């Protein structure tokens, strides 16, 4: 069974640009959530999608957005990139978004110059 | 959100049991106790979770205090591959239909395994 797949794995952008990251959940998983990991702040919850609807959101500015498609694949977008957005962005999937096991991908490493 | 407190780091010897403590004195009745671990350059990996009773799986055991204000993750026989950062997390059941909020990760415990 394939795991959670995130693309791209690595990318470099400059300040002011925007970026789109993609996440393909495990087949049959309907909930996808996104996390940002930085050395200073650790792992922080961005948002969760379930059946194409954002169901929960962390404390991030509106520059961070996401969406989920009918096949449960998800994308997150960061507009007007800032240096502080450099981080590892992790996607996690779950069967339906209960309190069970989350399966994480290996992440997309974003560097903003 | 209810918070958890874990030691910054712990050290153990290979093939010995490891007990990783976690305090969560403000836990609410609907909070599940989750443990994840993260190896270098990888995403977090689920270890175990529970609500009130002790839990066992192929990776570890979770011992939950009777008042639920603390818990202990037990690795029965540590190997070098168990060296990782271990996160103790509380996750609330938000929706009656089964949804839950995002995970709030703390700093975790950096587990060092000596050969």
């Amino acid at each position: 069974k394939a795991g959670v797949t995130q693309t791209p794995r690595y990318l470099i952008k400059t300040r002011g640009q925007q970026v789109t990251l993609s996440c393909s959940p495990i087949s049959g998983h309907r909930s996808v959530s996104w996390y940002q990991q930085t050395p200073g702040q650790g792992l922080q919850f961005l948002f969760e999608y379930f059946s194409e609807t954002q169901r929960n959101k962390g404390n991030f500015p509106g520059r961070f957005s996401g969406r989920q498609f009918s096949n449960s694949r998800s994308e997150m977008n960061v507009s007007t990139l800032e240096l502080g957005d450099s981080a590892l962005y992790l996607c996690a999937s779950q069967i339906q978004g209960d309190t069970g096991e989350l399966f994480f991908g290996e992440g997309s490493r974003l560097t903003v110059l | 959100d209810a918070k958890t407190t874990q030691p910054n780091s712990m050290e153990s010897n290979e093939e010995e049991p490891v007990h990783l403590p976690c305090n969560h004195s403000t836990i609410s009745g609907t909070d599940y106790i989750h443990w994840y671990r993260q190896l270098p350059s990888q995403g977090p990996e689920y270890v175990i979770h529970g609500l009130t009773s002790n839990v066992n799986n192929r990776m570890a055991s979770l011992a939950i205090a009777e008042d639920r204000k603390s818990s202990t993750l037990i690795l029965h026989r540590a190997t070098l591959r168990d060296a990782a950062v271990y996160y103790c997390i509380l996750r609330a059941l938000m929706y009656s239909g089964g949804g839950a909020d995002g995970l709030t990760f703390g700093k975790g415990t950096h587990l060092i395994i000596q050969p």
Side-chain angles (χ1 to χ4, degrees):
Chain A
K1 193 174 187 183
V4 177
T5 304
Q6 292 188 245
T7 57
R9 290 293 313 282
Y10 302 91
L11 67 166
I12 299 173
K13 293 285 187 178
T14 57
R15 278 181 297 176
Q17 287 186 311
Q18 73 163 16
V19 66
T20 299
L21 308 176
S22 178
C23 172
S24 294
I26 292 173
S27 177
H29 286 197
R30 297 170 61 193
S31 167
V32 173
S33 49
W34 289 87
Y35 291 81
Q36 181 197 64
Q37 185 170 30
T38 60
Q41 298 297 320
L43 271 152
Q44 294 183 286
F45 171 69
L46 281 156
F47 27 66
E48 185 223 358
Y49 286 87
F50 178 75
S51 292
E52 302 179 64
T53 300
Q54 186 183 90
R55 193 162 59 173
N56 199 10
K57 190 176 189 302
N59 190 26
F60 278 81
R63 300 186 296 108
F64 292 82
S65 63
R67 59 177 175 169
Q68 186 180 33
F69 302 95
S70 58
N71 61 358
S72 293
R73 191 177 71 83
S74 176
E75 288 180 348
M76 69 162 282
N77 183 276
V78 187
S79 63
T80 319
L81 284 166
E82 302 176 359
L83 295 179
D85 296 332
S86 295
L88 179 67
Y89 290 88
L90 291 156
C91 166
S93 77
Q94 192 171 27
I95 289 177
Q96 64 172 20
D98 59 8
T99 54
E101 180 178 356
L102 277 172
F103 294 83
F104 282 85
E106 293 188 311
S108 293
R109 171 79 60 186
L110 170 66
T111 301
V112 181
L113 302 176
Chain B
D1 291 337
K3 297 284 192 288
T4 62
T5 304
Q6 299 177 252
N8 289 333
S9 65
M10 289 185 64
E11 201 166 309
S12 182
N13 295 319
E14 199 176 6
E15 298 188 4
E16 290 186 356
V18 179
H19 290 235
L20 295 165
C22 181
N23 287 318
H24 29 78
S25 58
T26 59
I27 191 171
S28 72
T30 56
D31 284 336
Y32 285 74
I33 302 160
H34 287 245
W35 284 83
Y36 282 77
R37 71 180 186 181
Q38 189 172 21
L39 280 67
S41 302
Q42 294 188 23
E45 174 187 31
Y46 168 83
V47 178
I48 200 166
H49 80 286
L51 184 61
T52 56
S53 305
N54 294 343
V55 184
N56 300 295
N57 65 21
R58 62 176 179 80
M59 287 182 70
S61 296
L62 176 59
I64 301 173
E66 199 169 328
D67 62 6
R68 302 211 320 130
K69 295 188 176 186
S70 66
S71 60
T72 303
L73 177 71
I74 303 164
L75 306 178
H76 295 286
R77 201 157 166 264
T79 69
L80 295 177
R81 292 172 58 183
D82 292 321
V85 178
Y86 286 78
Y87 297 98
C88 169
I89 300 154
L90 301 182
R91 192 176 190 201
L93 178 65
M94 263 186 84
Y95 309 103
S96 59
D101 60 347
L103 301 181
T104 300
F105 286 80
K107 299 292 186 186
T109 296
H110 184 199
L111 177 62
I112 300 164
I113 304 296
Q114 297 288 356

